[in-house]
Amino acid sequence: MKRITILGSINVDVILEISRLPKPGETMPMKSLSTAGGGKGANQAIAAVRSGAATTFIGKVGDDAYGEKMLTILKENNIDTSSVIIKKGGQTGQAYILLQESGQNSIIINGGTNREITADDVIKAQNSIKNADFLIAQFEVDIERILEAFIIAHKNKVVTILNPAPAKDITDDLLKLTDLIVPNEIEAQMMTGIEITDENTAAEAAKILRERGVKNVIITLGSQGAYYLTENEDGLIPALKVNAIDTTAAGDTFIGALCSQLGNNLANIKEAIKYATKASSITVQTLGAIPSIPTIKQVNG
């Protein structure tokens, strides 16, 4: 069983179903409103554990109703929350998701306590990092905390996986500590300056990322699939054609599911991507983030 530790965000998703995005100055009704567990870190953790990995979470929530709700969800999914801190008076992260009829979404984030993870919090959680096969992080927590955690991971030969989302500037110091980076095409373009439209442009961007210090690259390309580049191989794994209802958490499902199947030396990366692609194709067929993430039985069924 893979041991995965995730340093990441914990949000409650507030989902507003709408026919389309409103124009500037326009007022329009929504079809419905619902809430669900979310946050890129929490989504990835649940995707990993539902695909058979032993998963530990490093994060922070407030002592509010949303924090209580999210801790309950994580524990119910058998995630080790011993490194999740409850901040007195803190506000748990929230995401407001504008979900269109097309299945596409636009998301507005209130980081809350996700942005209040400290260096001391990372140090206190170092055993959770040392005991893992993989450490995963995303950019809904501060980059400084990720860098500190990745340094601990490298000293202890733990494989580091970075999901650079939401897109932002990234230093080479962090890239050099990253064993595998998994951006989508927009995030990869921001880091490399290459407009990614197909396999060839994805390959160009992946080579630039390796030149900046990353050892292995997977660029997810939406309906086109996922391009990967390692020291030994590269290729494009095509996406599966499905009827997408809600794309929320598709990328997070891909990463969590991927890591549950990866070998520590990443030698089986092609097979792991195929598994992750199938998992994410199931996610987009159901409304919501955490409720839509499949189990290993559903993926292999």
Short mmCIF file of all heavy atoms in Angstrom, two decimals, residues 170-239:
data_model
loop_
_atom_site.label_atom_id
_atom_site.label_comp_id
_atom_site.label_asym_id
_atom_site.label_seq_id
_atom_site.Cartn_x
_atom_site.Cartn_y
_atom_site.Cartn_z
N ILE A 170 6.65 30.73 -10.14
CA ILE A 170 7.29 29.67 -9.37
C ILE A 170 8.80 29.80 -9.53
O ILE A 170 9.31 30.09 -10.61
CB ILE A 170 6.79 28.28 -9.84
CG1 ILE A 170 7.43 27.16 -9.02
CG2 ILE A 170 7.02 28.08 -11.31
CD1 ILE A 170 6.82 25.80 -9.30
N THR A 171 9.52 29.60 -8.43
CA THR A 171 10.97 29.74 -8.45
C THR A 171 11.65 28.43 -8.84
O THR A 171 11.11 27.35 -8.62
CB THR A 171 11.49 30.16 -7.07
OG1 THR A 171 11.24 29.11 -6.13
CG2 THR A 171 10.81 31.44 -6.59
N ASP A 172 12.84 28.56 -9.40
CA ASP A 172 13.61 27.36 -9.74
C ASP A 172 14.03 26.59 -8.50
O ASP A 172 14.26 25.38 -8.57
CB ASP A 172 14.84 27.75 -10.57
CG ASP A 172 14.48 28.15 -12.00
OD1 ASP A 172 13.28 28.06 -12.36
OD2 ASP A 172 15.38 28.55 -12.76
N ASP A 173 14.14 27.28 -7.37
CA ASP A 173 14.50 26.58 -6.12
C ASP A 173 13.49 25.48 -5.82
O ASP A 173 13.87 24.37 -5.42
CB ASP A 173 14.53 27.57 -4.94
CG ASP A 173 15.74 28.49 -4.99
OD1 ASP A 173 16.68 28.18 -5.76
OD2 ASP A 173 15.75 29.50 -4.27
N LEU A 174 12.21 25.77 -6.00
CA LEU A 174 11.18 24.78 -5.74
C LEU A 174 11.16 23.72 -6.84
O LEU A 174 11.02 22.52 -6.56
CB LEU A 174 9.81 25.44 -5.63
CG LEU A 174 8.62 24.52 -5.36
CD1 LEU A 174 8.85 23.69 -4.09
CD2 LEU A 174 7.32 25.32 -5.24
N LEU A 175 11.35 24.13 -8.07
CA LEU A 175 11.34 23.17 -9.18
C LEU A 175 12.46 22.14 -9.04
O LEU A 175 12.27 20.97 -9.35
CB LEU A 175 11.47 23.91 -10.51
CG LEU A 175 10.26 24.74 -10.94
CD1 LEU A 175 10.56 25.50 -12.22
CD2 LEU A 175 9.03 23.88 -11.11
N LYS A 176 13.60 22.56 -8.55
CA LYS A 176 14.73 21.64 -8.40
C LYS A 176 14.49 20.61 -7.29
O LYS A 176 15.17 19.58 -7.25
CB LYS A 176 16.00 22.43 -8.12
CG LYS A 176 16.50 23.21 -9.34
CD LYS A 176 17.67 24.13 -9.01
CE LYS A 176 18.09 24.92 -10.23
NZ LYS A 176 19.16 25.91 -9.94
N LEU A 177 13.53 20.90 -6.41
CA LEU A 177 13.17 19.94 -5.35
C LEU A 177 11.96 19.10 -5.74
O LEU A 177 11.48 18.30 -4.94
CB LEU A 177 12.88 20.69 -4.05
CG LEU A 177 14.08 21.33 -3.34
CD1 LEU A 177 13.60 22.26 -2.23
CD2 LEU A 177 15.00 20.25 -2.78
N THR A 178 11.47 19.28 -6.97
CA THR A 178 10.26 18.61 -7.43
C THR A 178 10.62 17.41 -8.29
O THR A 178 11.26 17.55 -9.34
CB THR A 178 9.37 19.59 -8.21
OG1 THR A 178 9.01 20.68 -7.37
CG2 THR A 178 8.12 18.90 -8.71
N ASP A 179 10.21 16.22 -7.87
CA ASP A 179 10.48 15.01 -8.64
C ASP A 179 9.49 14.83 -9.79
O ASP A 179 9.84 14.31 -10.84
CB ASP A 179 10.43 13.78 -7.72
CG ASP A 179 11.53 13.81 -6.68
OD1 ASP A 179 12.70 14.01 -7.07
OD2 ASP A 179 11.24 13.65 -5.48
N LEU A 180 8.24 15.26 -9.57
CA LEU A 180 7.22 15.16 -10.62
C LEU A 180 6.32 16.38 -10.50
O LEU A 180 5.79 16.67 -9.43
CB LEU A 180 6.39 13.88 -10.44
CG LEU A 180 5.14 13.74 -11.33
CD1 LEU A 180 5.51 13.69 -12.81
CD2 LEU A 180 4.34 12.50 -10.93
N ILE A 181 6.14 17.09 -11.62
CA ILE A 181 5.24 18.24 -11.65
C ILE A 181 4.06 17.90 -12.55
O ILE A 181 4.23 17.28 -13.60
CB ILE A 181 5.96 19.52 -12.12
CG1 ILE A 181 5.11 20.75 -11.83
CG2 ILE A 181 6.35 19.45 -13.59
CD1 ILE A 181 5.87 22.07 -11.94
N VAL A 182 2.85 18.29 -12.11
CA VAL A 182 1.63 17.95 -12.86
C VAL A 182 0.78 19.21 -13.04
O VAL A 182 -0.19 19.44 -12.30
CB VAL A 182 0.81 16.85 -12.15
CG1 VAL A 182 -0.30 16.34 -13.07
CG2 VAL A 182 1.70 15.69 -11.71
N PRO A 183 1.11 20.05 -14.03
CA PRO A 183 0.27 21.21 -14.34
C PRO A 183 -0.73 20.88 -15.44
O PRO A 183 -0.58 19.88 -16.16
CB PRO A 183 1.29 22.23 -14.87
CG PRO A 183 2.31 21.36 -15.57
CD PRO A 183 2.37 20.06 -14.80
N ASN A 184 -1.78 21.71 -15.58
CA ASN A 184 -2.59 21.63 -16.78
C ASN A 184 -1.97 22.54 -17.84
O ASN A 184 -0.91 23.14 -17.61
CB ASN A 184 -4.06 21.98 -16.49
CG ASN A 184 -4.25 23.43 -16.06
OD1 ASN A 184 -3.41 24.31 -16.29
ND2 ASN A 184 -5.38 23.70 -15.42
N GLU A 185 -2.59 22.65 -18.99
CA GLU A 185 -1.97 23.38 -20.08
C GLU A 185 -1.81 24.87 -19.77
O GLU A 185 -0.81 25.49 -20.18
CB GLU A 185 -2.74 23.19 -21.39
CG GLU A 185 -4.15 23.74 -21.42
CD GLU A 185 -5.19 22.73 -21.01
OE1 GLU A 185 -4.99 22.03 -19.99
OE2 GLU A 185 -6.24 22.63 -21.69
N ILE A 186 -2.75 25.47 -19.03
CA ILE A 186 -2.66 26.89 -18.70
C ILE A 186 -1.51 27.13 -17.72
O ILE A 186 -0.72 28.07 -17.88
CB ILE A 186 -3.98 27.39 -18.10
CG1 ILE A 186 -5.14 27.16 -19.08
CG2 ILE A 186 -3.87 28.85 -17.71
CD1 ILE A 186 -4.97 27.84 -20.42
N GLU A 187 -1.40 26.29 -16.72
CA GLU A 187 -0.33 26.42 -15.72
C GLU A 187 1.03 26.19 -16.35
O GLU A 187 2.00 26.90 -16.05
CB GLU A 187 -0.59 25.44 -14.58
CG GLU A 187 -1.85 25.77 -13.79
CD GLU A 187 -2.59 24.57 -13.24
OE1 GLU A 187 -2.10 23.43 -13.38
OE2 GLU A 187 -3.69 24.78 -12.68
N ALA A 188 1.12 25.22 -17.25
CA ALA A 188 2.39 24.95 -17.94
C ALA A 188 2.78 26.12 -18.82
O ALA A 188 3.96 26.49 -18.92
CB ALA A 188 2.28 23.68 -18.76
N GLN A 189 1.79 26.73 -19.48
CA GLN A 189 2.08 27.89 -20.32
C GLN A 189 2.62 29.05 -19.48
O GLN A 189 3.57 29.73 -19.88
CB GLN A 189 0.83 28.33 -21.06
CG GLN A 189 1.04 29.59 -21.92
CD GLN A 189 -0.21 30.00 -22.68
OE1 GLN A 189 -1.10 29.19 -22.92
NE2 GLN A 189 -0.28 31.26 -23.07
N MET A 190 2.04 29.25 -18.30
CA MET A 190 2.48 30.35 -17.44
C MET A 190 3.93 30.14 -17.00
O MET A 190 4.69 31.09 -16.88
CB MET A 190 1.56 30.47 -16.23
CG MET A 190 1.89 31.64 -15.34
SD MET A 190 0.59 31.94 -14.12
CE MET A 190 1.28 33.38 -13.27
N MET A 191 4.32 28.89 -16.77
CA MET A 191 5.68 28.61 -16.30
C MET A 191 6.72 28.60 -17.42
O MET A 191 7.89 28.79 -17.17
CB MET A 191 5.70 27.25 -15.58
CG MET A 191 5.01 27.27 -14.23
SD MET A 191 5.20 25.69 -13.36
CE MET A 191 4.12 24.65 -14.33
N THR A 192 6.28 28.38 -18.66
CA THR A 192 7.24 28.20 -19.75
C THR A 192 7.12 29.22 -20.87
O THR A 192 8.06 29.38 -21.66
CB THR A 192 7.06 26.81 -20.38
OG1 THR A 192 5.77 26.72 -21.00
CG2 THR A 192 7.21 25.72 -19.34
N GLY A 193 5.97 29.90 -20.97
CA GLY A 193 5.76 30.83 -22.08
C GLY A 193 5.31 30.15 -23.36
O GLY A 193 5.12 30.82 -24.38
N ILE A 194 5.13 28.83 -23.33
CA ILE A 194 4.71 28.08 -24.51
C ILE A 194 3.18 27.93 -24.51
O ILE A 194 2.61 27.43 -23.55
CB ILE A 194 5.34 26.68 -24.54
CG1 ILE A 194 6.87 26.76 -24.54
CG2 ILE A 194 4.85 25.88 -25.75
CD1 ILE A 194 7.47 27.37 -25.78
N GLU A 195 2.53 28.39 -25.57
CA GLU A 195 1.10 28.17 -25.70
C GLU A 195 0.86 26.72 -26.10
O GLU A 195 1.29 26.27 -27.16
CB GLU A 195 0.49 29.09 -26.75
CG GLU A 195 -1.02 28.95 -26.86
CD GLU A 195 -1.63 29.89 -27.89
OE1 GLU A 195 -0.88 30.69 -28.48
OE2 GLU A 195 -2.86 29.81 -28.10
N ILE A 196 0.18 25.98 -25.24
CA ILE A 196 0.06 24.53 -25.44
C ILE A 196 -1.28 24.21 -26.09
O ILE A 196 -2.34 24.47 -25.52
CB ILE A 196 0.21 23.80 -24.10
CG1 ILE A 196 1.59 24.11 -23.50
CG2 ILE A 196 0.02 22.30 -24.27
CD1 ILE A 196 1.77 23.65 -22.10
N THR A 197 -1.20 23.64 -27.29
CA THR A 197 -2.41 23.31 -28.04
C THR A 197 -2.46 21.84 -28.45
O THR A 197 -3.51 21.35 -28.84
CB THR A 197 -2.49 24.17 -29.31
OG1 THR A 197 -1.30 23.97 -30.09
CG2 THR A 197 -2.62 25.65 -28.95
N ASP A 198 -1.32 21.15 -28.37
CA ASP A 198 -1.27 19.76 -28.83
C ASP A 198 -0.08 19.04 -28.19
O ASP A 198 0.62 19.62 -27.34
CB ASP A 198 -1.19 19.69 -30.36
CG ASP A 198 -0.02 20.51 -30.93
OD1 ASP A 198 0.94 20.80 -30.18
OD2 ASP A 198 -0.07 20.84 -32.12
N GLU A 199 0.19 17.82 -28.64
CA GLU A 199 1.28 17.03 -28.07
C GLU A 199 2.64 17.68 -28.29
O GLU A 199 3.49 17.69 -27.40
CB GLU A 199 1.27 15.63 -28.68
CG GLU A 199 2.36 14.72 -28.12
CD GLU A 199 2.30 13.31 -28.68
OE1 GLU A 199 1.36 13.00 -29.44
OE2 GLU A 199 3.21 12.51 -28.35
N ASN A 200 2.85 18.26 -29.47
CA ASN A 200 4.15 18.86 -29.78
C ASN A 200 4.46 20.05 -28.89
O ASN A 200 5.58 20.19 -28.38
CB ASN A 200 4.21 19.27 -31.25
CG ASN A 200 4.25 18.08 -32.19
OD1 ASN A 200 4.69 17.01 -31.81
ND2 ASN A 200 3.76 18.26 -33.41
N THR A 201 3.47 20.93 -28.69
CA THR A 201 3.71 22.10 -27.84
C THR A 201 3.81 21.69 -26.37
O THR A 201 4.55 22.31 -25.60
CB THR A 201 2.60 23.15 -28.03
OG1 THR A 201 1.31 22.51 -27.95
CG2 THR A 201 2.74 23.83 -29.39
N ALA A 202 3.09 20.64 -25.99
CA ALA A 202 3.23 20.13 -24.63
C ALA A 202 4.65 19.59 -24.41
O ALA A 202 5.24 19.79 -23.35
CB ALA A 202 2.20 19.03 -24.37
N ALA A 203 5.19 18.92 -25.43
CA ALA A 203 6.56 18.40 -25.33
C ALA A 203 7.57 19.53 -25.18
O ALA A 203 8.53 19.42 -24.41
CB ALA A 203 6.87 17.56 -26.56
N GLU A 204 7.36 20.62 -25.91
CA GLU A 204 8.26 21.78 -25.79
C GLU A 204 8.25 22.33 -24.37
O GLU A 204 9.30 22.62 -23.79
CB GLU A 204 7.84 22.89 -26.77
CG GLU A 204 8.08 22.59 -28.23
CD GLU A 204 7.60 23.74 -29.10
OE1 GLU A 204 7.83 24.90 -28.71
OE2 GLU A 204 7.01 23.47 -30.16
N ALA A 205 7.04 22.49 -23.82
CA ALA A 205 6.91 23.03 -22.47
C ALA A 205 7.53 22.09 -21.44
O ALA A 205 8.21 22.53 -20.50
CB ALA A 205 5.44 23.27 -22.14
N ALA A 206 7.31 20.80 -21.61
CA ALA A 206 7.86 19.82 -20.67
C ALA A 206 9.39 19.85 -20.67
O ALA A 206 10.02 19.74 -19.60
CB ALA A 206 7.35 18.43 -21.02
N LYS A 207 9.99 20.01 -21.83
CA LYS A 207 11.46 20.09 -21.91
C LYS A 207 11.99 21.31 -21.18
O LYS A 207 13.03 21.25 -20.51
CB LYS A 207 11.89 20.10 -23.37
CG LYS A 207 11.72 18.75 -24.07
CD LYS A 207 12.07 18.82 -25.54
CE LYS A 207 11.82 17.47 -26.22
NZ LYS A 207 12.06 17.54 -27.68
N ILE A 208 11.27 22.42 -21.28
CA ILE A 208 11.68 23.64 -20.57
C ILE A 208 11.61 23.42 -19.06
O ILE A 208 12.51 23.83 -18.31
CB ILE A 208 10.81 24.84 -21.00
CG1 ILE A 208 11.12 25.23 -22.45
CG2 ILE A 208 11.04 26.04 -20.06
CD1 ILE A 208 10.19 26.29 -23.01
N LEU A 209 10.56 22.76 -18.61
CA LEU A 209 10.43 22.49 -17.17
C LEU A 209 11.57 21.60 -16.68
O LEU A 209 12.11 21.81 -15.59
CB LEU A 209 9.07 21.86 -16.88
CG LEU A 209 7.87 22.79 -17.01
CD1 LEU A 209 6.56 22.02 -16.92
CD2 LEU A 209 7.91 23.87 -15.94
N ARG A 210 11.95 20.62 -17.48
CA ARG A 210 13.08 19.77 -17.10
C ARG A 210 14.38 20.58 -17.07
O ARG A 210 15.24 20.37 -16.21
CB ARG A 210 13.22 18.60 -18.06
CG ARG A 210 12.16 17.53 -17.85
CD ARG A 210 12.60 16.18 -18.34
NE ARG A 210 13.76 15.72 -17.60
CZ ARG A 210 14.50 14.67 -17.96
NH1 ARG A 210 14.22 14.01 -19.06
NH2 ARG A 210 15.54 14.31 -17.25
N GLU A 211 14.54 21.51 -18.01
CA GLU A 211 15.73 22.36 -18.01
C GLU A 211 15.79 23.24 -16.76
O GLU A 211 16.87 23.60 -16.29
CB GLU A 211 15.73 23.24 -19.26
CG GLU A 211 16.02 22.47 -20.55
CD GLU A 211 15.75 23.29 -21.80
OE1 GLU A 211 15.35 24.47 -21.66
OE2 GLU A 211 15.93 22.75 -22.91
N ARG A 212 14.62 23.58 -16.20
CA ARG A 212 14.56 24.40 -14.99
C ARG A 212 14.77 23.57 -13.72
O ARG A 212 14.83 24.13 -12.63
CB ARG A 212 13.23 25.15 -14.92
CG ARG A 212 13.09 26.25 -15.98
CD ARG A 212 11.80 27.03 -15.81
NE ARG A 212 11.76 27.72 -14.53
CZ ARG A 212 10.70 28.41 -14.09
NH1 ARG A 212 9.59 28.44 -14.82
NH2 ARG A 212 10.73 29.02 -12.92
N GLY A 213 14.84 22.24 -13.87
CA GLY A 213 15.20 21.43 -12.71
C GLY A 213 14.26 20.32 -12.34
O GLY A 213 14.61 19.46 -11.52
N VAL A 214 13.04 20.30 -12.91
CA VAL A 214 12.09 19.22 -12.60
C VAL A 214 12.55 17.94 -13.28
O VAL A 214 12.96 17.94 -14.42
CB VAL A 214 10.68 19.59 -13.09
CG1 VAL A 214 9.71 18.45 -12.81
CG2 VAL A 214 10.19 20.85 -12.41
N LYS A 215 12.44 16.83 -12.57
CA LYS A 215 12.90 15.56 -13.13
C LYS A 215 11.88 14.93 -14.08
O LYS A 215 12.25 14.37 -15.12
CB LYS A 215 13.24 14.58 -11.99
CG LYS A 215 14.39 15.04 -11.11
CD LYS A 215 14.62 14.05 -9.97
CE LYS A 215 15.79 14.50 -9.09
NZ LYS A 215 15.50 15.78 -8.41
N ASN A 216 10.60 15.00 -13.74
CA ASN A 216 9.56 14.34 -14.53
C ASN A 216 8.36 15.26 -14.65
O ASN A 216 8.05 16.03 -13.72
CB ASN A 216 9.13 13.03 -13.86
CG ASN A 216 10.30 12.09 -13.60
OD1 ASN A 216 10.76 11.40 -14.50
ND2 ASN A 216 10.80 12.09 -12.37
N VAL A 217 7.67 15.18 -15.78
CA VAL A 217 6.58 16.12 -16.08
C VAL A 217 5.36 15.37 -16.62
O VAL A 217 5.50 14.49 -17.47
CB VAL A 217 7.02 17.17 -17.12
CG1 VAL A 217 5.89 18.16 -17.40
CG2 VAL A 217 8.28 17.90 -16.68
N ILE A 218 4.19 15.74 -16.12
CA ILE A 218 2.92 15.35 -16.75
C ILE A 218 2.13 16.63 -16.96
O ILE A 218 1.90 17.38 -16.01
CB ILE A 218 2.11 14.38 -15.88
CG1 ILE A 218 2.87 13.08 -15.62
CG2 ILE A 218 0.76 14.08 -16.55
CD1 ILE A 218 2.17 12.15 -14.63
N ILE A 219 1.72 16.89 -18.19
CA ILE A 219 0.87 18.05 -18.49
C ILE A 219 -0.50 17.53 -18.91
O ILE A 219 -0.62 16.81 -19.90
CB ILE A 219 1.47 18.92 -19.61
CG1 ILE A 219 2.85 19.45 -19.20
CG2 ILE A 219 0.53 20.11 -19.91
CD1 ILE A 219 3.57 20.23 -20.28
N THR A 220 -1.53 17.87 -18.12
CA THR A 220 -2.88 17.43 -18.48
C THR A 220 -3.46 18.40 -19.50
O THR A 220 -3.33 19.62 -19.37
CB THR A 220 -3.77 17.34 -17.24
OG1 THR A 220 -3.81 18.62 -16.57
CG2 THR A 220 -3.24 16.30 -16.27
N LEU A 221 -4.10 17.83 -20.53
CA LEU A 221 -4.55 18.61 -21.68
C LEU A 221 -6.06 18.53 -21.87
O LEU A 221 -6.55 18.64 -23.00
CB LEU A 221 -3.84 18.11 -22.95
CG LEU A 221 -2.31 18.11 -22.91
CD1 LEU A 221 -1.74 17.42 -24.12
CD2 LEU A 221 -1.79 19.54 -22.82
N GLY A 222 -6.79 18.34 -20.80
CA GLY A 222 -8.25 18.30 -20.90
C GLY A 222 -8.72 17.16 -21.80
O GLY A 222 -8.34 16.00 -21.63
N SER A 223 -9.51 17.51 -22.79
CA SER A 223 -10.11 16.50 -23.67
C SER A 223 -9.08 15.78 -24.55
O SER A 223 -9.38 14.74 -25.14
CB SER A 223 -11.17 17.14 -24.56
OG SER A 223 -10.59 18.14 -25.38
N GLN A 224 -7.85 16.34 -24.63
CA GLN A 224 -6.81 15.69 -25.43
C GLN A 224 -6.07 14.60 -24.67
O GLN A 224 -5.39 13.76 -25.28
CB GLN A 224 -5.81 16.72 -25.95
CG GLN A 224 -6.39 17.69 -26.96
CD GLN A 224 -5.30 18.55 -27.58
OE1 GLN A 224 -4.40 18.07 -28.27
NE2 GLN A 224 -5.37 19.86 -27.34
N GLY A 225 -6.14 14.64 -23.33
CA GLY A 225 -5.46 13.62 -22.55
C GLY A 225 -4.35 14.19 -21.69
O GLY A 225 -4.46 15.30 -21.17
N ALA A 226 -3.26 13.44 -21.54
CA ALA A 226 -2.14 13.86 -20.70
C ALA A 226 -0.82 13.49 -21.39
O ALA A 226 -0.62 12.35 -21.81
CB ALA A 226 -2.22 13.20 -19.33
N TYR A 227 0.07 14.48 -21.47
CA TYR A 227 1.41 14.26 -22.04
C TYR A 227 2.40 14.07 -20.89
O TYR A 227 2.34 14.80 -19.89
CB TYR A 227 1.85 15.45 -22.89
CG TYR A 227 3.29 15.32 -23.36
CD1 TYR A 227 3.59 14.55 -24.48
CD2 TYR A 227 4.33 15.93 -22.67
CE1 TYR A 227 4.91 14.39 -24.89
CE2 TYR A 227 5.64 15.78 -23.08
CZ TYR A 227 5.93 15.00 -24.20
OH TYR A 227 7.23 14.83 -24.59
N TYR A 228 3.30 13.10 -21.01
CA TYR A 228 4.28 12.88 -19.96
C TYR A 228 5.69 12.81 -20.54
O TYR A 228 5.90 12.40 -21.67
CB TYR A 228 3.97 11.61 -19.17
CG TYR A 228 4.18 10.31 -19.93
CD1 TYR A 228 5.34 9.55 -19.77
CD2 TYR A 228 3.22 9.83 -20.83
CE1 TYR A 228 5.54 8.36 -20.46
CE2 TYR A 228 3.40 8.65 -21.52
CZ TYR A 228 4.56 7.92 -21.33
OH TYR A 228 4.76 6.75 -22.02
N LEU A 229 6.65 13.23 -19.72
CA LEU A 229 8.07 13.21 -20.10
C LEU A 229 8.89 12.81 -18.89
O LEU A 229 8.80 13.44 -17.83
CB LEU A 229 8.51 14.58 -20.61
CG LEU A 229 10.01 14.75 -20.92
CD1 LEU A 229 10.42 13.86 -22.10
CD2 LEU A 229 10.33 16.21 -21.21
N THR A 230 9.70 11.76 -19.02
CA THR A 230 10.64 11.34 -17.98
C THR A 230 12.02 11.24 -18.62
O THR A 230 12.21 11.53 -19.80
CB THR A 230 10.25 9.98 -17.39
OG1 THR A 230 10.48 8.95 -18.37
CG2 THR A 230 8.78 9.96 -16.98
N GLU A 231 12.98 10.79 -17.84
CA GLU A 231 14.32 10.60 -18.39
C GLU A 231 14.35 9.50 -19.45
O GLU A 231 15.19 9.52 -20.35
CB GLU A 231 15.30 10.24 -17.27
CG GLU A 231 15.57 11.37 -16.30
CD GLU A 231 16.57 10.99 -15.23
OE1 GLU A 231 16.90 9.79 -15.11
OE2 GLU A 231 17.02 11.90 -14.51
N ASN A 232 13.40 8.56 -19.37
CA ASN A 232 13.45 7.38 -20.23
C ASN A 232 12.37 7.32 -21.30
O ASN A 232 12.52 6.57 -22.28
CB ASN A 232 13.35 6.12 -19.36
CG ASN A 232 14.46 6.04 -18.33
OD1 ASN A 232 15.62 6.27 -18.63
ND2 ASN A 232 14.08 5.73 -17.09
N GLU A 233 11.29 8.06 -21.14
CA GLU A 233 10.21 7.94 -22.12
C GLU A 233 9.32 9.17 -22.12
O GLU A 233 9.39 10.02 -21.23
CB GLU A 233 9.35 6.70 -21.81
CG GLU A 233 8.72 6.72 -20.43
CD GLU A 233 7.85 5.48 -20.17
OE1 GLU A 233 7.08 5.08 -21.07
OE2 GLU A 233 7.96 4.92 -19.07
N ASP A 234 8.49 9.26 -23.15
CA ASP A 234 7.50 10.33 -23.23
C ASP A 234 6.34 9.83 -24.09
O ASP A 234 6.45 8.83 -24.80
CB ASP A 234 8.09 11.61 -23.81
CG ASP A 234 8.39 11.48 -25.30
OD1 ASP A 234 9.33 10.73 -25.65
OD2 ASP A 234 7.67 12.09 -26.11
N GLY A 235 5.22 10.52 -24.04
CA GLY A 235 4.09 10.14 -24.85
C GLY A 235 2.82 10.84 -24.43
O GLY A 235 2.79 11.57 -23.43
N LEU A 236 1.77 10.64 -25.20
CA LEU A 236 0.46 11.22 -24.92
C LEU A 236 -0.52 10.09 -24.63
O LEU A 236 -0.69 9.18 -25.45
CB LEU A 236 -0.04 12.04 -26.11
CG LEU A 236 -1.42 12.67 -25.95
CD1 LEU A 236 -1.37 13.79 -24.92
CD2 LEU A 236 -1.94 13.20 -27.28
N ILE A 237 -1.15 10.14 -23.46
CA ILE A 237 -2.20 9.20 -23.11
C ILE A 237 -3.53 9.89 -23.41
O ILE A 237 -3.83 10.92 -22.81
CB ILE A 237 -2.14 8.80 -21.63
CG1 ILE A 237 -0.75 8.25 -21.27
CG2 ILE A 237 -3.24 7.80 -21.30
CD1 ILE A 237 -0.36 7.00 -22.00
N PRO A 238 -4.32 9.37 -24.36
CA PRO A 238 -5.56 10.06 -24.74
C PRO A 238 -6.60 10.05 -23.64
O PRO A 238 -6.64 9.14 -22.80
CB PRO A 238 -6.03 9.28 -25.97
CG PRO A 238 -5.41 7.93 -25.82
CD PRO A 238 -4.10 8.15 -25.14
N ALA A 239 -7.45 11.08 -23.64
CA ALA A 239 -8.56 11.14 -22.69
C ALA A 239 -9.67 10.19 -23.14
O ALA A 239 -9.73 9.78 -24.30
CB ALA A 239 -9.09 12.57 -22.61
#
